[in-house]
Amino acid sequence: MKSRTWTGLAFCAPLIFGLLAFTVLPVIASFWFSLCNYPILEPPSYVGTANYVELAKDDQFWHSVRNTFMYVLGAVPLGMIVGLSLALLLNQKVPGIKVFRTLFFLPTVVPLVANSVLWVRLLNPQQGLINAFLRFLHFPAGWLPGWLSDEHWALPGLVLMSLWGAGGGAILYVAALQDVPAELFEAAELDGAGPRQRFRHITIPMISPVLLFTGVMGLIGGFQEFARAFVMTKGGPWDSTLFYCLHLFNSAFTEFRLGYASAMAWVLFAIILVATWVVMRSSMKHVQYEQ
């Protein structure tokens, strides 16, 4: 029995070593650095909670928190609504539906940097396809958004771009929809329930665990949003798209303040932990699990 245990541990050793070396130890080191002044080229010096106190007084830090919350509040619910709407369409039994599922899923596997470069062109105020479509609909020239060049439209532009990956969530919703027993819909239809009532009282409760999963994962990913803003706007114009992780990156690798950036990382961990706990706690009465 002991030989089997040691054999199993030997096979798991590379994974355990990798977890310790590349995850556990860096996490511990980042907490230590968050309590230090660490300008990269010099050894870290202990300063206690000074970095956290400075964070509380940093206007740019709070500005990045506000931008990130605004992005999450826009992108996550909108992405879930669009994904579920696509799933309802992709769940229909029509010829060639598998082709459409593949087409809607493809943007999810395209690298995010390539997507960002593409959307810079799409959101171009003068030559972009989105404003060209709005002109086709006879929108007045003064009403056309400036998108990434306008501080009022840059953040909505990134929220709009986030819908490009809604096909990934849609595939999960399709799988959940196909798992709902057809007998429930048949019984509800016999009782006189219309499509809206069946959707509200059967479909939504039955797929609520998947909705919760995609919501929580979207929440976690939204708070860590970085690549879109880094590639497309660099946080501009006028810091309107300065997300938390972009500010953290600038603090670490532009200003060379690794200790300050480590403190930001731990504050972000606390924000995500609390937000996830609130969502999970508030969903207990609304999520229907199979018994």
Side-chain angles (χ1 to χ4, degrees):
M1 192 68 181
K2 290 184 178 180
S3 61
R4 292 184 179 182
T5 301
W6 284 109
T7 301
L9 289 174
F11 278 105
C12 295
L15 180 60
I16 295 173
F17 175 79
L19 181 66
L20 292 174
F22 300 111
T23 301
V24 176
L25 291 180
V27 167
I28 297 174
S30 72
F31 181 72
W32 165 247
F33 292 150
S34 73
L35 303 175
C36 299
N37 176 30
Y38 187 18
I40 297 182
L41 299 179
E42 300 177 9
S45 58
Y46 180 77
V47 294
T49 59
N51 288 323
Y52 294 95
V53 173
E54 185 180 351
L55 278 177
K57 301 177 181 179
D58 186 357
D59 292 337
Q60 198 170 34
F61 164 77
W62 290 109
H63 185 70
S64 68
V65 171
R66 174 187 172 277
N67 286 343
T68 306
F69 267 96
M70 294 295 292
Y71 176 81
V72 170
L73 292 176
V76 175
L78 195 58
M80 293 178 65
I81 292 172
V82 172
L84 182 57
S85 301
L86 287 174
L88 293 172
L89 294 174
L90 296 175
N91 195 41
Q92 304 300 314
K93 296 180 180 180
V94 296
I97 193 63
K98 293 183 179 180
V99 175
F100 287 101
R101 292 174 184 170
T102 303
L103 292 176
F104 277 106
F105 182 74
L106 278 179
T108 308
V109 301
V110 177
L112 188 54
V113 173
N115 278 336
S116 301
V117 173
L118 171 65
W119 274 85
V120 167
R121 294 183 177 273
L122 292 175
L123 294 172
N124 186 292
Q126 285 76 38
Q127 302 174 350
L129 290 180
I130 294 179
N131 275 11
F133 178 70
L134 295 178
R135 293 190 195 98
F136 174 77
L137 297 178
H138 302 290
F139 271 68
W143 290 12
L144 294 176
W147 296 120
L148 302 181
S149 61
D150 187 334
E151 62 179 305
H152 301 294
W153 282 100
L155 186 59
L158 295 183
V159 171
L160 178 65
M161 181 198 168
S162 69
L163 300 179
W164 187 248
I171 296 301
L172 294 177
Y173 295 142
V174 168
L177 290 171
Q178 293 183 347
D179 199 40
V180 178
E183 297 81 5
L184 297 178
F185 294 108
E186 295 171 359
E189 190 172 0
L190 290 175
D191 288 339
R196 292 184 180 179
Q197 292 174 313
R198 295 198 298 269
F199 177 76
R200 177 181 177 184
H201 297 290
I202 297 178
T203 302
I204 292 297
M206 292 300 294
I207 68 171
S208 56
V210 179
L211 291 172
L212 175 63
F213 171 78
T214 54
V216 170
M217 296 304 294
L219 184 74
I220 296 172
F223 277 118
Q224 299 180 77
E225 182 59 44
F226 168 77
R228 291 184 179 91
F230 180 75
V231 174
M232 299 172 69
T233 65
K234 301 295 183 183
W238 302 103
D239 288 341
S240 59
T241 58
L242 181 66
F243 293 143
Y244 193 101
C245 285
L246 182 57
H247 183 37
L248 190 156
F249 177 86
N250 291 336
S251 299
F253 301 108
T254 301
E255 302 173 8
F256 301 111
R257 303 181 64 193
L258 280 186
Y260 188 75
S262 297
M264 287 187 64
W266 279 93
V267 172
L268 178 61
F269 169 74
I271 292 174
I272 293 176
L273 181 65
V274 172
T276 303
W277 180 84
V278 170
V279 171
M280 296 295 292
R281 189 72 176 177
S282 61
S283 67
M284 294 178 64
K285 296 181 180 180
H286 305 287
V287 177
Q288 178 69 40
Y289 295 100
E290 286 191 41
Q291 299 297 325

